[in-house]
Amino acid sequence: MTPTQAIRRLIPRTVAGQMFVLLVVMVLVLGAGAVAALVVQAGNNSEDVARVRALAVAETFSRAPGVLAALESPDPSARLQPITEVTRRETGVDYIVVTNTKGVRYTHPNPAEIGKSITGTLYPATAGKPFTDRVPGQTLPSPSIRAVAPVFDKKGSVVALVNAGVTIAGTSGTVNRQLPALLGGGAAALALATVGVAVMSRRLRRQTRGLEPAEITRMYEHHDAVLHTVREGVLIISDDGRLLLVNDEARRLLDLPPDVPLREVADLGPRLDQALIRLLADGRVATDEVYKAAGRFLAVNQQPTRSDGRALGSVATLRDTTELRALAGQATEARETLTLLYDATVTIGTTLDLTRTAEELAQAALPRFADFATVDLFESVLEGAEPARERDELRRVAAAGAGGQRPLYQAGRTVSFHSSSPQARSLADGRSVLEQDLAEAFVGTDQDPAHAEWLRAHGMRSLITVPLRAGGWVLGVTSFYRGERLDTFDEEDVSTAEELVGRAAVCLDNARRYAREHAMAVSLQRSLLPGELPQQNAVEAAYRYIPARSGVGGDWFDVIPLSGARVALVVGDVVGHGLHAAATMGLLRTAVLNFSALDLAPDELLTHLDELVSRLDQDENHRGRERGAAATGGTGIIGATCLYAIYDPVSRRCTMARAGHPGPAIVRPDGTVDFPDVPGGPPLGLGGFPFEVIDVDIEENSEIVLYTDGLIENRRQDIDSGLERLEQALAHREQSPQQTCDAVLDALLPADVADVSDDVALLVARTRALDTDHFVVWDVPVDPAAVATARADVTRKLSSWGMDEAAFTTELVVSELVTNAIRHAIAPIHLRLVRDQGLICEVSDGSSTAPHLRRSTAGDEGGRGLFLVAQLTESWGTRYTSRGKTIWAEQALSPADDTEPGGPTRPPDPDEPDQAASR
């Protein structure tokens, strides 16, 4: 850091600080100068005293008696030395030296100096005139004042010289004694001056608010420019009501003369509002208060000014609001219009229902924009199609009145407008039509007298009709009416009406498209769901399907007859809604039907279905990437669940497995409800996870209830409360499956099924059981001779059933199946004959090797067995059990032989040899 920078850092930056330093330095300089002047003056006085004293001693000694005689004596030094020393001590001088005219000393305070010549000039004393001079200290310790006086003889000649000397230090003792007083007085004066300067600096600091000189300079340089160019009038008023400052804008706004400063506020003139004058005179706080002055409307803001708690006056600002007040009405109208359009945007289009959207449009215009509003749409639009105006009729969809007016055409009725009516012209031209005076428009015309009468009856004065245009199509027309309550429509109102209707038209078109897609999805879904349940004797089934409010979904159910008089009960759910979910549901339902034809166990069927869903997901993702979808793939299946159950009316056992689906409910004949703990497998499509089955013994006349999650879980209830309510709804005896379905839906769904948020599929199956008279089971030993015995047993049983016509064919089927089992399979071997809707012949063995149909050539000895079975029976197949397989073949029965099964007895299971009846 340079010395200059160091000095600058020591100098205060504020004006007050700099003034303080400057005044202190001035006081120091003045005090020091005063003390120095006193000291110099005292020194000068001391030198004058020394001159006078030395000259007086020298002249007195030169004229003293005896001096001349001593000089004329032979030894002047001996006689004069004592006299000079005595005189020196008595007079207080520092030395008295007598010399001859040539400067040789006769006397000296130091005897060693006697006889030596003195230095310095002796003239004009040698000429007879005494003098004084200042000599440096040589023999004396400090400078001295020397006085030289001549000694005259009797003739008047100078015979000797008397030198008397007084040191200046000796004569300044008085001054030195006075110096502390002088310095103390100077210090006291300096302290008082410093205190005064500090007080002045403090006040100056408050006045300047600690600003630097450059800032104060800039502030005052720009003060006038800012004050007189600002677009607001500024008045500074003292506490006694006088104007201290008025800028140019204030003079212009108040029309004040140039000499207005220092005048009292009360004297501003009659052109000002007296309330404004009182406000300025009082000095109270005011915020945007409007007053009239000089033909203008001024917004006045005023704030009192204070310092140290003392009122100094007030500052008032004036702003011309004359033009703003003219625009205020327009701004208010624009704000109301924007509010109307914003509210309409929020309230219109809350649903995808055409009627509801039209009603929201009519209600949005009331009561701020219109007194009455109607919405008329083409018939084809209500059906979801594009409008065809040439062949279409208009239908009143919505009508609303602010005063409870009743429309000429009620909602739902067909509307007919005259060709010259505003509505017809609006539809024909595709433009809005403004009728400011409806009475004049209908004068002298015979168009639509009913409409004219309705206008007069309800006092409607003006009308705006706006076509509902969206996507290049005109969907209908909207009419806005005003009566006595509101002003007549103008051109600006037409723009508002078009904006309002334009927003609603987009919502209506979306609702139309949704209605069309919804109808298509519903048709697709209805075609994919079961129509009538298939005929079978295992269960009595009933179902309900409730589509979601937001559209069709992917819930499905099925009842599938299986071999051996069994039946498969299926319920599934594809996540999501719309065409994709419905199409996916159709794929999965078809797949379940195909897999069921293979007589797969529930866990195996779900495994195959899971693999199918995974492949569908992969294909969908691949197609999505080809269409330019995201890198992660297309839409996919998203998720699907399924519950698959097989009920056997012979064993009265139900085998179930599920993939992420809610478990079933079983209603016992006594009305108790159970929820079997079916192992919960993962949803379909995850892959790699096994599915587990559970076997449940079910009494006859029990109900197996299968459902989707939309029944027990929604926004109003969680799954636990849903299951509890389901249990309460099912806990009733002696109900048919149809009644059970109704009771469940009434208990768990809202009264208006249109409010259902998710699809609901419900399947109720009341179990039946085959009487022991309708089936028989024989154990077959592993012996070729047992074939003949089996044929004989079958023949006798068919004869007891009155089915002798089927004996021949059945004997051939039994012979082939039993023979194949004895030759190619392992024990145990069972033969079961079941009389259901058809005659079923089943042969079970302990081998899992599947037979296959093949055609033998002319030279083959075998290979015709299964071919003959396939030719002689209606259907045949193989199903596998945990202990082997069962080969079955079914023959159709004549109507006389078709008998309904019944009876409470539980038959033995052919797959369980320990429970099989012996032959």
Side-chain angles (χ1 to χ4, degrees):
M1 182 183 299
T2 62
T4 302
Q5 293 175 339
I7 293 174
R8 287 180 178 176
R9 294 190 63 179
L10 294 176
I11 297 176
R13 299 182 62 183
T14 63
V15 172
Q18 293 181 5
M19 290 295 296
F20 175 76
V21 172
L22 179 61
L23 291 177
V24 169
V25 170
M26 291 176 61
V27 170
L28 287 174
V29 171
L30 291 176
V35 172
L38 289 175
V39 171
V40 171
Q41 183 65 32
N44 292 334
N45 292 338
S46 298
E47 189 172 339
D48 292 340
V49 172
R51 289 180 185 275
V52 172
R53 183 185 297 178
L55 184 59
V57 172
E59 288 181 346
T60 302
F61 191 83
S62 66
R63 293 183 178 90
V67 174
L68 182 59
L71 291 172
E72 294 177 350
S73 66
D75 190 4
S77 298
R79 295 184 63 179
L80 290 176
Q81 179 68 19
I83 297 173
T84 57
E85 288 300 314
V86 173
T87 303
R88 179 182 66 81
R89 287 192 296 271
E90 290 179 356
T91 58
V93 297
D94 292 308
Y95 63 89
I96 299 176
V97 178
V98 181
T99 66
N100 58 16
T101 55
K102 296 181 178 180
V104 178
R105 297 184 182 97
Y106 292 122
T107 63
H108 195 278
N110 184 7
E113 298 292 330
I114 297 174
K116 298 180 180 180
S117 299
I118 64 174
T119 60
T121 181
L122 296 176
Y123 184 85
T126 55
K129 293 182 179 181
F131 72 92
T132 61
D133 62 355
R134 183 185 181 95
V135 297
Q138 295 178 351
T139 59
L140 295 176
S142 64
S144 61
I145 300 299
R146 184 186 66 167
V148 182
V151 178
F152 296 97
D153 60 5
K154 295 178 180 178
K155 297 178 179 181
S157 300
V158 177
V159 295
L161 300 173
V162 178
N163 297 270
V166 179
T167 60
I168 296 175
T171 60
S172 62
T174 303
V175 177
N176 292 336
R177 288 190 297 270
Q178 295 176 353
L179 188 60
L182 292 175
L183 295 176
L190 177 62
L192 290 175
T194 303
V195 171
V197 169
V199 173
M200 293 176 60
S201 298
R202 181 180 179 185
R203 182 176 182 83
L204 181 61
R205 183 168 60 252
R206 289 199 304 269
Q207 295 295 328
T208 60
R209 300 182 182 275
L211 297 175
E212 298 181 11
E215 294 174 342
I216 293 179
T217 300
R218 287 195 300 270
M219 181 179 67
Y220 281 99
E221 286 177 350
H222 299 293
H223 172 267
D224 288 342
V226 173
L227 185 64
H228 295 291
T229 58
V230 69
R231 294 292 298 171
E232 289 190 357
V234 179
L235 303 175
I236 300 179
I237 307 168
S238 65
D239 57 346
D240 59 354
R242 293 182 177 274
L243 290 174
L244 299 180
L245 185 145
V246 181
N247 71 343
D248 294 343
E249 184 68 9
R251 286 192 178 93
R252 185 185 70 85
L253 295 177
L254 300 177
D255 195 14
L256 299 177
D259 60 344
V260 70
L262 301 182
R263 291 176 59 179
E264 293 186 0
V265 175
D267 299 334
L268 290 182
R271 298 189 63 187
L272 301 185
D273 189 352
Q274 293 301 313
L276 174 60
I277 294 177
R278 287 195 299 270
L279 170 66
L280 298 177
D282 296 342
R284 63 177 177 84
V285 177
T287 303
D288 287 338
E289 297 183 9
V290 179
Y291 296 90
K292 188 175 181 181
R296 299 182 180 90
F297 290 95
L298 305 180
V300 181
N301 292 274
Q302 184 168 262
Q303 186 69 33
T305 58
R306 295 180 177 274
S307 178
D308 297 332
R310 183 171 61 88
L312 300 179
S314 61
V315 177
T317 60
L318 313 174
R319 186 174 69 256
D320 191 356
T321 62
T322 305
E323 296 181 358
L324 294 178
R325 289 177 63 87
L327 297 175
Q330 301 178 11
T332 301
E333 292 180 1
R335 183 171 59 252
E336 292 177 352
T337 300
L338 291 176
T339 303
L340 171 67
L341 296 177
Y342 172 78
D343 294 340
T345 303
V346 175
T347 57
I348 298 176
T350 58
T351 66
L352 289 173
D353 182 76
L354 271 169
T355 302
R356 179 58 183 165
T357 304
E359 292 173 351
E360 291 170 347
L361 169 59
Q363 291 292 339
L366 307 179
R368 291 174 288 180
F369 183 72
D371 291 317
F372 194 80
T374 62
V375 180
D376 305 315
L377 299 178
F378 289 114
E379 289 281 2
S380 56
V381 173
L382 295 175
E383 297 172 359
E386 286 81 5
R389 290 182 296 174
E390 293 79 6
R391 301 182 303 274
D392 253 353
E393 291 184 343
L394 283 172
R395 185 170 296 276
R396 178 65 48 84
V397 181
Q405 299 94 336
R406 295 178 60 84
L408 178 62
Y409 298 100
Q410 296 290 337
R413 286 189 55 187
T414 302
V415 180
S416 178
F417 292 109
H418 193 272
S419 59
S420 61
S421 66
Q423 289 85 355
R425 285 183 283 139
S426 183
L427 290 172
D429 299 337
R431 298 178 182 179
S432 302
V433 175
L434 169 64
E435 291 289 351
Q436 292 183 317
D437 190 349
L438 286 175
E440 182 179 351
F442 281 89
V443 169
T445 64
D446 57 353
Q447 58 172 338
D448 204 348
H451 192 195
E453 179 62 27
W454 180 86
L455 294 175
R456 287 191 293 269
H458 293 85
M460 298 301 170
R461 297 187 303 162
S462 60
L463 165 69
I464 294 178
T465 61
V466 183
L468 284 158
R469 181 184 296 275
W473 298 97
V474 176
L475 309 179
V477 64
T478 302
S479 304
F480 300 102
Y481 297 87
R482 280 187 180 179
E484 299 291 340
R485 189 178 60 88
L486 298 173
D487 295 334
T488 303
F489 283 122
D490 54 22
E491 294 295 338
E492 293 184 359
D493 293 325
V494 174
S495 299
T496 303
E498 290 177 345
E499 181 70 19
L500 179 64
V501 173
R503 300 186 183 192
V506 175
C507 298
L508 287 169
D509 190 55
N510 291 337
R512 177 189 66 83
R513 295 174 184 271
Y514 172 78
R516 180 183 60 186
E517 295 179 0
H518 181 71
M520 294 171 56
V522 168
S523 299
L524 174 63
Q525 186 184 40
R526 295 299 183 187
S527 65
L528 294 176
L529 287 173
E532 294 184 0
L533 296 180
Q535 293 293 328
Q536 42 77 37
N537 294 327
V539 295
E540 178 188 356
Y543 67 90
R544 294 291 186 274
Y545 179 80
I546 308 298
R549 174 187 58 191
S550 58
V552 297
D555 292 10
W556 90 92
F557 60 92
D558 227 329
V559 177
I560 307 172
L562 300 178
S563 64
R566 299 172 305 146
V567 66
L569 307 175
V570 189
V571 170
D573 184 6
V574 175
V575 177
H577 298 88
L579 290 175
H580 180 70
T584 303
M585 177 270 291
L587 289 174
L588 297 183
R589 178 172 178 260
T590 302
V592 171
L593 289 172
N594 292 331
F595 290 147
S596 298
L598 300 177
D599 264 334
L600 297 177
D603 56 340
E604 296 179 7
L605 184 141
L606 291 181
T607 300
H608 287 293
L609 197 62
D610 179 64
E611 295 174 353
L612 173 63
V613 172
S614 298
R615 288 195 298 271
L616 291 175
D617 272 331
Q618 294 173 3
D619 294 342
E620 185 67 22
N621 293 336
H622 178 69
R623 287 193 295 270
R625 287 191 292 269
E626 289 181 347
R627 290 192 300 264
T632 54
T635 57
I637 298 300
I638 301 174
T641 63
C642 183
L643 172 62
Y644 189 83
I646 297 178
Y647 172 68
D648 188 350
V650 177
S651 63
R652 302 173 190 174
R653 176 170 297 175
C654 187
T655 304
M656 295 175 281
R658 63 189 179 106
H661 200 84
I666 296 179
V667 185
R668 304 295 179 181
D670 60 357
T672 60
V673 181
D674 294 334
F675 292 93
D677 187 13
V678 182
L684 299 174
L686 297 182
F689 296 95
F691 299 96
E692 301 182 27
V693 298
I694 183 176
D695 293 329
V696 180
D697 293 329
I698 300 179
E699 300 92 333
E700 187 179 6
N701 292 324
S702 297
E703 288 182 341
I704 303 174
V705 182
L706 282 68
Y707 49 88
T708 57
D709 58 356
L711 179 68
I712 60 174
E713 186 178 13
N714 51 49
R715 290 174 296 181
R716 298 180 296 126
Q717 64 181 5
D718 56 20
I719 189 169
D720 292 333
S721 60
L723 289 174
E724 183 179 352
R725 295 175 62 188
L726 175 62
E727 181 179 2
Q728 295 173 357
L730 293 174
H732 297 285
R733 300 179 61 185
E734 297 180 356
Q735 282 191 152
S736 67
Q738 296 288 351
Q739 292 173 334
T740 300
C741 289
D742 295 336
V744 169
L745 296 183
D746 292 341
L748 277 80
L749 296 185
D752 186 3
V753 293
D755 293 334
V756 176
S757 59
D758 193 10
D759 290 15
V760 174
L762 175 64
L763 178 62
V764 178
R766 171 161 292 178
T767 62
R768 295 171 177 171
L770 288 179
D771 292 337
T772 56
D773 186 48
H774 282 73
F775 68 91
V776 64
V777 180
W778 296 282
D779 292 333
V780 179
V782 186
D783 183 359
V787 177
T789 305
R791 288 200 302 267
D793 292 339
V794 168
T795 301
R796 286 193 297 271
K797 190 61 178 176
L798 290 178
S799 178
S800 66
W801 284 345
M803 301 173 63
D804 295 327
E805 295 180 359
F808 177 75
T809 302
T810 306
E811 286 184 13
L812 290 177
V813 171
V814 169
S815 177
E816 293 298 332
L817 296 182
V818 172
T819 299
N820 285 338
I822 294 174
R823 287 182 179 181
H824 305 291
I826 60 176
I829 300 174
H830 305 284
L831 172 62
R832 184 169 76 169
L833 202 62
V834 179
R835 180 189 176 191
D836 190 39
Q837 289 183 332
L839 180 61
I840 305 169
C841 179
E842 298 179 346
V843 176
S844 303
D845 57 60
S847 173
S848 58
T849 303
H852 61 279
L853 180 66
R854 61 189 179 91
R855 297 177 181 272
S856 60
T857 62
D860 292 338
E861 297 182 359
R864 300 180 178 86
L866 288 180
F867 179 76
L868 290 175
V869 171
Q871 294 297 319
L872 296 174
T873 60
E874 189 175 66
S875 61
W876 73 279
T878 304
R879 67 174 181 268
Y880 295 91
T881 64
S882 59
R883 296 181 178 87
K885 67 177 182 297
T886 298
I887 302 176
W888 58 271
E890 183 173 355
Q891 305 173 57
L893 296 179
S894 61
D897 296 330
D898 192 4
T899 308
E900 289 294 329
T905 306
R906 171 169 177 172
D909 189 348
D911 295 331
E912 298 181 5
D914 55 334
Q915 297 182 8
S918 62
R919 184 174 52 168

